[in-house]
Amino acid sequence: MSQDARFSYREMGAMSIAAIVILFFTYSSSSYSSSNTTIATTPHLSKGDISVSDLGQDRLHHHSSRMSIDTEGSCLMDHEPCDLKYRRIVSVADLHGDVDKARRILRAAGIINRFDGWIATSGTMLIQTGDLIDRGPNSLDMVKFFHELQRSAKAFNGTVINLLGNHEVMLLDGTTFYVDRTELRRHGGKRGFLKKFDTGTELGEFLRSMPVIKMVDRTLFVHAGLEPSLVEKFCNDGKVDTINYFARSGVFKKRKERSVQESVVLNSAYGPVWTRSFDIDSPSDIPKACSKVSQTLDAVGGDRMVIGHNVQMKGVPQVQCNGRLILMDVGMSSAMIDGDPVALEISRKQFRIVDDKAEQEDKTPVRCCQQELKFVTEDGTFNIFSTA
């Protein structure tokens, strides 16, 4: 699959067939392989939108407007546990003080109702990848909104994770340069605004509790991206916990008082909240970015990296590096490019199959434990594609 595939749900919205591409990933307790990958397309799409040249025409089977790609893969034996914890993961990128857009996309994704009450099914995780604040008119209200949502989700066996973005780090470091001027005046100027996030305050502790990176069911979520050099420095055991440890200790200190490790994680240009290494503006950016993505994911045992930070000026997400990199910052805040709100949904799919080729008495049911990835917009849900 071509690495530079881009998807426009605005164009898709006019189609009678909403589904664009379906992705399944198959897992086992000891290994990972892709299985039953299906591409659904329509005559309105060109090969430039979704390239299949790398797969070979002999592997394509046409079924009216659908093309399916058959790949080999294995499923779990029926008694083996599925290693996917969450039934559904919904991810939203940079919101930048636009509470209205936050509410709209979370309602479209079935996370909250019109009263902001949590309505997602049990076992749902919502993960927001940083930059709740700044630029837009309601940064304080945005933080309060997610703080309350995090608490209310627990009552329904739901989980809300907020990651630190570079704008949260700047705020904790005392910078209000990007805070909306009107909002600053509403809350007593710079000093009054910062005081609401002091150490020991409810909102201040909420921000300081945020990790910078989260691995969830083999998907690596991080605001700007995780450089392989940081993996080598901090993740010798293949886990990202050490990075969060230094972030957690660093946010309780003034910037000049932080250790080298804390400064690398929170303030360096190649750190997980600041790096631009995964910003893909042109085809020439792809090889270097995808090489880094592969190095990082291979080291930490992930299948894909989901990031924000880099505004997609066309207002739609990018899926790059054969699906291993998903760039979700569509500039949805009215203070950015006022993009249409969009979320990423990753759903766990389980089903049982029986090998009909085996002898009747030897038939053994197996349970497939897979994931389906979709973009969610206010106009509908659009399936997306990537490969392992």
Side-chain angles (χ1 to χ4, degrees):
M1 181 61 61
S2 171
Q3 293 178 336
D4 59 354
R6 293 174 182 247
F7 304 90
S8 173
Y9 50 79
R10 287 172 175 164
E11 295 173 1
M12 299 173 198
M15 301 175 186
S16 60
I17 300 176
I20 301 303
V21 191
I22 298 176
L23 159 70
F24 290 105
F25 283 108
T26 302
Y27 296 80
S28 70
S29 58
S30 60
S31 63
Y32 167 77
S33 60
S34 61
S35 176
N36 298 329
T37 306
T38 302
I39 294 180
T41 186
T42 74
H44 299 283
L45 285 177
S46 68
K47 287 188 177 180
D49 295 312
I50 302 176
S51 172
V52 296
S53 59
D54 294 340
L55 296 167
Q57 292 298 318
D58 57 322
R59 297 179 62 193
L60 296 180
H61 308 281
H62 294 267
H63 304 286
S64 62
S65 62
R66 174 171 296 183
M67 294 187 299
S68 67
I69 300 175
D70 297 328
T71 58
E72 295 181 357
S74 60
C75 294
L76 302 166
M77 299 304 293
D78 198 43
H79 64 278
E80 293 181 295
C82 175
D83 70 346
L84 299 176
K85 179 179 179 181
Y86 292 95
R87 294 177 58 183
R88 185 167 174 254
I89 303 165
V90 175
S91 180
V92 177
D94 306 43
L95 292 167
H96 283 300
D98 194 330
V99 179
D100 176 63
K101 288 286 183 70
R103 288 188 169 109
R104 283 165 55 184
I105 190 56
L106 295 183
R107 288 168 187 164
I111 298 295
I112 62 173
N113 60 22
R114 63 191 182 97
F115 303 107
D116 296 342
W118 182 272
I119 59 170
T121 55
S122 177
T124 295
M125 169 182 275
L126 169 65
I127 183 162
Q128 197 280 328
T129 55
D131 281 8
L132 287 175
I133 63 169
D134 284 352
R135 303 188 188 278
N138 294 297
S139 292
L140 183 63
D141 287 345
M142 182 72 80
V143 177
K144 290 179 178 179
F145 174 78
F146 271 91
H147 183 42
E148 179 57 36
L149 192 62
Q150 191 175 96
R151 292 189 297 190
S152 62
K154 294 179 181 179
F156 298 92
N157 193 32
T159 304
V160 177
I161 299 292
N162 290 91
L163 301 183
L164 280 175
N166 58 307
H167 282 265
E168 284 78 31
V169 172
M170 284 192 289
L171 178 65
L172 294 176
D173 285 346
T175 298
T176 59
F177 180 80
Y178 294 101
V179 178
D180 179 81
R181 299 297 99 179
T182 301
E183 182 171 23
L184 271 184
R185 288 194 294 271
R186 279 204 316 268
H187 297 293
K190 178 177 180 178
R191 181 176 296 180
F193 188 79
L194 289 176
K195 192 172 181 61
K196 297 182 183 298
F197 300 98
D198 276 348
T199 303
T201 64
E202 190 173 25
L203 297 183
E205 293 302 303
F206 175 54
L207 286 188
R208 289 174 177 84
S209 71
M210 295 178 181
V212 297
I213 191 166
K214 188 75 174 178
M215 176 76 84
V216 185
D217 289 347
R218 299 181 66 90
T219 297
L220 186 68
F221 294 94
V222 58
H223 179 63
L226 180 58
E227 297 261 10
S229 61
L230 266 67
V231 175
E232 184 177 354
K233 183 186 296 287
F234 295 115
C235 308
N236 292 330
D237 57 357
K239 298 181 180 179
V240 299
D241 298 342
T242 304
I243 294 175
N244 286 328
Y245 170 81
F246 285 116
R248 173 71 173 168
S249 60
V251 292
F252 285 94
K253 300 176 183 178
K254 293 182 179 180
R255 180 169 179 171
K256 293 181 179 180
E257 297 172 351
R258 289 173 185 150
S259 68
V260 173
Q261 295 93 333
E262 292 164 349
S263 295
V264 166
V265 170
L266 293 172
N267 303 114
S268 70
Y270 59 94
V273 301
W274 284 101
T275 182
R276 295 288 182 183
S277 291
F278 305 100
D279 187 9
I280 297 178
D281 288 328
S282 68
S284 63
D285 298 326
I286 294 173
K288 186 176 181 179
C290 291
S291 175
K292 288 191 172 188
V293 168
S294 293
Q295 291 177 61
T296 292
L297 293 177
D298 291 348
V300 300
D303 294 325
R304 66 193 70 89
M305 181 161 62
V306 177
I307 66 173
H309 191 52
N310 305 296
V311 180
Q312 306 304 298
M313 298 308 294
K314 292 185 178 180
V316 294
Q318 280 198 65
V319 179
Q320 294 284 359
C321 311
N322 289 328
R324 304 196 84 188
L325 177 64
I326 303 178
L327 300 96
M328 288 298 300
D329 183 3
V330 296
M332 71 176 82
S333 172
S334 59
M336 296 299 290
I337 65 172
D338 202 18
D340 292 337
V342 59
L344 173 68
E345 176 185 291
I346 306 175
S347 300
R348 184 181 68 195
K349 303 295 182 182
Q350 295 188 74
F351 55 91
R352 286 179 170 80
I353 61 173
V354 174
D355 184 0
D356 292 330
K357 296 180 182 179
E359 295 295 331
Q360 185 67 33
E361 61 274 15
D362 293 330
K363 287 183 178 179
T364 303
V366 294
R367 179 165 48 85
C368 294
C369 182
Q370 303 177 329
Q371 287 182 313
E372 180 180 270
L373 276 69
K374 299 178 181 179
F375 289 140
V376 179
T377 76
E378 292 179 290
D379 294 326
T381 300
F382 303 101
N383 298 332
I384 65 174
F385 169 79
S386 77
T387 60

